Every structure is written in structure tokens, then in C-alpha cells.
Amino acid sequence: MSNDLIAKLAAVRQGFDAANPAASMSLRAEAYVDPFWFEIETDAVFARSWQWVCHTEKLRSPGNYVAAEVAGRPIVIVRGPGEDNGDLRAFYNVCKHRAHHLVEGEGTIRALTCPYHAWVYDLGGRLKTARHTNHLDGFDVKDVCLDQIAVTEFGGFVYVNLDESAEPLATAAGDLGAEVAHWAPDVEQLTFAHRLEYTIDSNWKNVVDNFLECYHCHVAHADFVSLVDMDTYSVTTHGIYSSHMAEAGKTANSAYDVSDATVTDHAVWWLWPNTCIMRYPGRGNMIVMQIIPVGPGRTAETYDFFLESPEPNEAELDSIRYLDEVLQPEDIGLVESVQRGMATRAFDQGRIVVDPSGSGLSEHALHHFHGLVLDHYDAFLSGAS
């Protein structure tokens, strides 16, 4: 590592106590506003982590495919045919001829056919036909195959990882799969029902920070604290995830109607680095919030609702309205203000507030996240020339 990189890493680590959250300062403001760190994160974080793509329902049958983008790279996931073991495979969505995208969106196909020059790949990524290439010296379609990437089904959803050496998600995530199965045993039977989308003028890490603590909830979310019993709110950190649990939806509240709720808990997980999985009071449900970096001060965010039926009932429409019209504007206003403050000379870093009991009023999960960020900076820059 060059002296300049050593100095930048030392500067961004200053004040952070990895061993003791109660003695630690937060991640420094430069990590949220300096384009250098944003550029580093594309490869250090997002190209080396498991990224959520979709619910397993989209890829259950042979020929099902979903195209997406991960860390700025186009990818495609396909379910192979029965004679090919019906395996799930993921590839860079890039033709080996002239780099055109092979497919867009999602659907069902029998082969991956490039719309530029009609090179055809089977669902195992092998080139089958390439027009007018028989006369080429040293060219054989059998030698050409799409670049494969890691893909897995986990907790009812599909994830990919661009890192060839990535630890399997089921191993890296420890007990997360078992927790999801316990709190949401119906997750694989749920179906997509609704999506909300937002553009936020804030760094992606500020959005994660805000999600990971409820120290602000009594101050900023009056309706939320009437829905969730904050006295039961507990936060537990693990290797690459944290769990956020509380009793909820058991009494009338000002957020939304829960009179017919069969789920009466608030069970929420954050999975490194940018996937938030939520089970709110109501009917059987799962909400996935994906936090997508766009620029040093810009983030895209999606909320996908998976419910017992593709059409939300009245209570679920009420809950979606609450999230969209109340909770999200509250949180977006908070993180956008924080981003503006971090861009001034008035702020460098703040103290982590820790409750030894691990309650929702504690910021220890935020400290856990900051440690992972710094560790990934270190690992990536250590390999830089």
C-alpha cells in the first residue's frame, strides 16, 4: 500500500474504537462526502458482497431469467432446464462477441440470444451458434462461454456475488437463515405485490446508519413508536448482519390498522452491506429494502412488498401508505439533513451512543456497520499497488 493510501486509511479510521463501541466515535464525515471513498466502495464493498436480486418465485421454472445490475455491472440469472439439473446460474449479461447486453428485464427463455448479432448461448452459458463464423481461423463455438458469477437462494430470496472467492452466503450469514425461517416460515410462499422507489440526496451509508438505530424513533417517528412496543425492542449484531426485534401491532396505533393482524412482531434484519429485510405487523409479509449507491451524495432505494396475495388488502394498502407517505418522508428528511451537515466544516464525526442492554435506543449496530466498512476499506487498499 502506498504512503498516500496508508495516510488516507489512517485518517478515516481516526477516533473509531473497534473493540469498544461505548468508547468509539462514528465513521468520519469524509467517508460520506469524499468521492474517493465512494469510488473505492464500488469494488471494495459492492463487488465483494452478496447482493439481493429478487424473490425465488421469479426463478422457479426452467428458462426463468432475471436481468439486473450489481456494482455497475450487468448480470443475468437463469434457471437451467431439467436435463441440465435445473440449476440456478448467474452470468455477466455481456455477449462475448461485442459486449452487448443479452437480455433485459425478466421472463422465460429457451436460450440467451444476443439482440445485436444473434449469437446464441444455452442456459448453461455455453455458446451454441454464432452466425457466419465457420470460416474463421482458430474459432470454435465450443471454446466460448459466458463469465459465470456466484448465485444462491437464501431465506426465500436470490442473491449474487461478483467475488469469485466469496464465502457461501449460508456460511457467511451464520444464523440469519434460521432466524428468517423462524420468524417468517411462510416467506417462500409469499408473492410480489408492490414496489416503492425513492431517490435520496444522501450517501448510502447515512441511509444504513439511520436504519440501524432507533435512538431517533421517539423523536422523529411518533406513529412508529405507537405501532412498535419500544420497551421490547432489542438489537443484536452478528458477523455480517444484525437483528432488530420487538413486539408490535398488538394494540390500536396511529400508523395503520392492525385489527386483523396475524403477524404481531416487528422482525427486521440488516444484511451487509445494503439489504434490509423486514416483517411488519399485518398478514404474512416480507419487505425488502435495497439501498443502492448512485453517487457520493445520492442514493436510490427500493421497497419490495411480498404478501400472501398479489393484490394488497385494505389493511396492507394502509400499511403501504404509512410507509410511503409518513415513515419514508420522515427518514429521508433526516438523512438528507445529515448529509448536508456532513458537508460543512461544523462536523467531522460524532460519539456512538450505546445502551449496554442492546435496546433499540442504542447505536451499537451502527458501530458494527462502521467496523465492517473500515475493514473492507483496509482489505481492498492493502491489495492496491
Side-chain angles (χ1 to χ4, degrees):
M1 193 189 306
S2 70
N3 289 336
D4 286 346
L5 291 180
I6 292 172
K8 287 189 77 69
L9 186 60
V12 81
R13 273 193 173 275
Q14 186 176 355
F16 181 81
D17 189 327
N20 185 7
S24 184
M25 301 294 283
S26 67
L27 195 59
R28 296 174 70 86
E30 63 197 79
Y32 298 82
V33 299
D34 187 342
F36 171 82
W37 293 112
F38 178 80
E39 294 300 324
I40 288 293
E41 287 163 356
T42 299
D43 290 319
V45 174
F46 291 95
R48 300 187 179 195
S49 59
W50 287 99
Q51 293 291 303
W52 179 89
V53 178
C54 64
H55 192 280
T56 57
E57 69 172 347
K58 289 189 177 181
L59 292 160
R60 283 181 177 150
S61 301
N64 286 169
Y65 79 91
V66 172
E69 185 175 287
V70 172
R73 285 82 156 179
I75 63 103
V76 57
I77 307 170
V78 296
R79 176 72 71 183
E83 60 268 21
D84 204 17
N85 298 320
D87 289 341
L88 202 60
R89 292 187 175 91
F91 308 97
Y92 283 98
N93 187 16
V94 176
C95 183
K96 303 299 283 187
H97 174 222
R98 295 274 297 281
H100 197 283
H101 288 193
L102 295 167
V103 291
E104 303 287 343
E106 59 189 63
T108 303
I109 51 177
R110 299 182 65 180
L112 293 158
T113 302
C114 181
Y116 194 5
H117 299 100
W119 281 30
V120 180
Y121 304 80
D122 67 19
L123 300 185
R126 298 171 290 265
L127 182 63
K128 303 307 291 183
T129 61
R131 297 166 51 247
H132 307 302
T133 59
N134 292 339
H135 63 285
L136 297 182
D137 293 336
F139 180 83
D140 189 337
V141 294
K142 295 178 181 178
D143 297 331
V144 180
C145 189
L146 299 176
D147 290 353
Q148 195 162 343
I149 60 176
V151 60
T152 191
E153 297 176 73
F154 179 80
F157 298 103
V158 177
Y159 297 80
V160 297
N161 195 321
L162 304 184
D163 183 0
E164 296 177 357
S165 61
E167 185 177 25
L169 181 55
T171 303
D175 293 332
L176 177 57
E179 288 189 31
V180 172
H182 172 76
W183 291 100
D186 57 348
V187 61
E188 293 192 14
Q189 285 71 54
L190 299 176
T191 188
F192 175 77
H194 194 72
R195 167 172 275 201
L196 299 173
E197 297 181 90
Y198 307 93
T199 299
I200 304 171
D201 290 328
S202 184
N203 184 271
W204 72 275
K205 295 186 295 298
N206 267 327
V207 180
V208 174
D209 286 350
N210 183 71
F211 181 86
L212 290 176
E213 53 92 356
C214 220
Y215 183 43
H216 71 281
C217 290
H218 285 94
V219 181
H221 301 313
D223 298 307
F224 180 83
V225 298
S226 76
L227 173 69
V228 175
D229 182 354
M230 293 301 296
D231 291 336
T232 66
Y233 203 120
S234 64
V235 179
T236 308
T237 61
H238 309 268
I240 61 166
Y241 78 99
S242 56
S243 304
H244 306 250
M245 304 295 180
E247 295 180 7
K250 294 185 176 181
T251 60
N253 65 87
S254 58
Y256 62 87
D257 180 20
V258 294
S259 57
D260 294 324
T262 55
V263 174
T264 55
D265 290 289
H266 174 73
V268 172
W269 300 269
W270 166 79
L271 174 63
W272 165 262
N274 60 325
T275 300
C276 305
I277 306 166
M278 301 173 277
R279 189 165 171 94
Y280 266 55
R283 287 200 302 170
N285 72 93
M286 195 68 93
I287 308 165
V288 178
M289 180 174 77
Q290 189 76 342
I291 299 165
I292 306 162
V294 176
R298 182 66 65 88
T299 299
E301 189 176 75
T302 58
Y303 268 73
D304 285 313
F305 293 78
F306 301 93
L307 306 174
E308 292 181 11
S309 59
E311 295 297 330
N313 64 22
E314 287 300 317
E316 288 162 342
L317 288 171
D318 194 26
S319 69
I320 292 170
R321 176 207 56 78
Y322 163 67
L323 286 169
D324 186 35
E325 299 179 10
V326 180
L327 189 61
Q328 275 297 96
E330 290 170 347
D331 276 331
I332 290 171
L334 293 172
V335 299
E336 290 186 338
S337 178
V338 168
Q339 187 70 23
R340 292 193 297 271
M342 284 184 167
T344 71
R345 295 181 179 181
F347 184 83
D348 185 41
Q349 63 187 151
R351 187 62 182 261
I352 296 290
V353 176
V354 175
D355 176 359
S357 72
S359 76
L361 300 180
S362 179
E363 295 179 330
H364 61 285
L366 187 137
H367 174 268
H368 171 243
F369 168 55
H370 291 181
L372 288 171
V373 171
L374 291 170
D375 287 349
H376 279 72
Y377 287 172
D378 194 7
F380 180 77
L381 292 176
S382 294
S385 58

